[in-house]
Amino acid sequence: MRNFGALARKLASLFVADTALAMFVPAWIAAAWLCARLLPDVPPGVVTFMLACGPVAALWFSVRHAAHAMRSTRHD
Amino acid sequence: MSLPDAHAVGAAAAAFLASFVEFLEALTVVLAVGATRGWRNAGTGAAAAICVLAVVLAAIGPRAALPAAPLRLIVGVLTLMFGLRWLRKSVLRAAGLIPLHDAASSYERARAKLGAGTVGGWDGVALTAAFQVVMMEGIEVVLIVAAVGAGGGALLPASWGAGAALLTVLLLGVALHRPITRVPDNALKCGVGVMLCAFGMFWAGEAIGTQWPGGAWALPLLSVMWAASALAMIQAVRA
């Protein structure tokens, strides 16, 4: 049972780099889809740019937050 | 390069690199099991896990190849999240914020944990240890193969890539009989993260109707964008 527990934990952790990032990505893609559907006047290039930049920015904030937290722990 | 070709080549390359890194990590523990508890136990446990993983891949394969847009969206989002996890960890490692993976110390830790056993006979602890590590690393391989192969109908090239990686690692393990320490593990992981993010973003975009500039050529462009972003992040947060 312990082995199955370890496998289940590993599976659950595969898609979650950090919780905020894991929640942001689907929400951002849903926002890009809504933007394309609800605002047909928005040029397609804007949606593409939005789609490409959102996850990169989210990763940057996640990395910066983790770096800050790790440095704070070291200083403590 | 046509769309299927770009997908097939990219999927095979991503699956090969990701599988190579994962199987190397499994090999370290399997070698420790073999050295402490006997090669028959290590080989049998690992082979049993590979058989189970092959069955799992064969079972999910036909379902993952469905061309429906919702499936492509789900696969795209999950692949993107999967890639972000790889990329985040490798950026933090490259920046010196978390320690790099050390195959030699993993090997020694596994040996110390297993201790001396009954070399020669069947050993449940050794069999379970070899089976478990190959399953754990292999599940990630199966997910990567399904993820990079499903969106563009390139499940077969992705499976070939993973198979080639498994064969390479097996040959290295049989030839060297010790952990392989001179592999740029983190650079490979960063590369895999970049490719997974590019694939995920491309498919998620296609599923919601985004017109990528250049069609299939957006994939290498997205890879360059992610790689450049990762390098910039490493420089910015370097300890």
Side-chain angles (χ1 to χ4, degrees):
Chain A
M1 277 310 285
R2 207 172 53 185
N3 294 340
F4 284 113
L7 273 174
R9 275 198 300 278
K10 167 97 180 175
L11 259 179
S13 71
L14 288 180
F15 299 98
V16 182
D18 78 56
T19 315
L21 191 59
M23 286 162 67
F24 172 84
V25 170
W28 186 257
I29 290 170
W33 178 77
L34 278 175
C35 183
R37 284 290 168 104
L38 300 178
L39 305 167
D41 293 337
V42 172
V46 173
V47 178
T48 308
F49 182 77
M50 182 182 165
L51 190 70
C53 292
V56 175
L59 179 63
W60 162 240
F61 283 114
S62 174
V63 164
R64 201 179 65 161
H65 176 74
H68 181 70
M70 283 167 197
R71 289 204 183 97
S72 305
T73 311
R74 278 183 201 169
H75 287 307
D76 291 344
Chain B
M1 195 182 280
S2 68
L3 192 65
D5 289 342
H7 277 154
V9 173
F16 178 85
L17 285 178
S19 309
F20 186 71
V21 174
E22 293 299 329
F23 285 135
L24 269 187
E25 287 181 11
L27 177 72
T28 304
V29 178
V30 172
L31 288 172
V33 173
T36 51
R37 301 267 185 156
W39 296 105
R40 189 170 64 161
N41 291 306
T44 309
I50 289 169
C51 289
V52 172
L53 291 167
V55 170
V56 171
L57 187 60
I60 65 168
R63 286 155 190 81
L66 291 171
L71 181 76
R72 190 173 268 209
L73 179 62
I74 293 165
V75 169
V77 172
L78 288 178
T79 308
L80 183 56
M81 288 165 69
F82 199 35
L84 284 170
R85 179 180 157 272
W86 278 61
L87 205 51
R88 181 179 181 270
K89 199 185 253 187
S90 61
V91 165
L92 291 172
R93 279 187 170 148
L97 291 158
I98 53 176
L100 291 169
H101 175 74
D102 183 358
S105 65
S106 294
Y107 178 73
E108 291 306 328
R109 266 201 313 277
R111 281 192 67 150
K113 198 174 164 188
L114 286 161
T118 49
V119 176
W122 288 111
D123 179 348
V125 174
L127 277 168
T128 309
F131 179 83
Q132 191 178 335
V133 73
V134 176
M135 274 301 287
M136 279 195 169
E137 303 299 340
I139 281 174
E140 215 160 334
V141 170
V142 168
L143 286 173
I144 290 168
V145 168
V148 299
L155 207 61
L156 201 60
S159 303
W160 279 113
L166 174 65
L167 193 65
T168 309
V169 171
L170 274 177
L171 291 175
L172 284 171
V174 169
L176 299 173
H177 265 227
R178 62 183 168 79
I180 299 145
T181 52
R182 287 192 175 182
V183 171
D185 180 71
N186 199 50
L188 284 175
K189 283 187 172 172
C190 194
V192 173
V194 162
M195 291 175 99
L196 288 175
C197 286
F199 268 99
M201 189 176 269
F202 184 80
W203 287 326
E206 282 212 320
I208 65 168
T210 301
Q211 298 293 317
W212 291 108
W217 286 105
L219 261 176
L221 289 176
L222 285 172
S223 300
V224 169
M225 180 196 80
W226 276 107
S229 305
L231 288 173
M233 287 177 206
I234 292 168
Q235 290 300 322
V237 298
R238 196 178 284 274

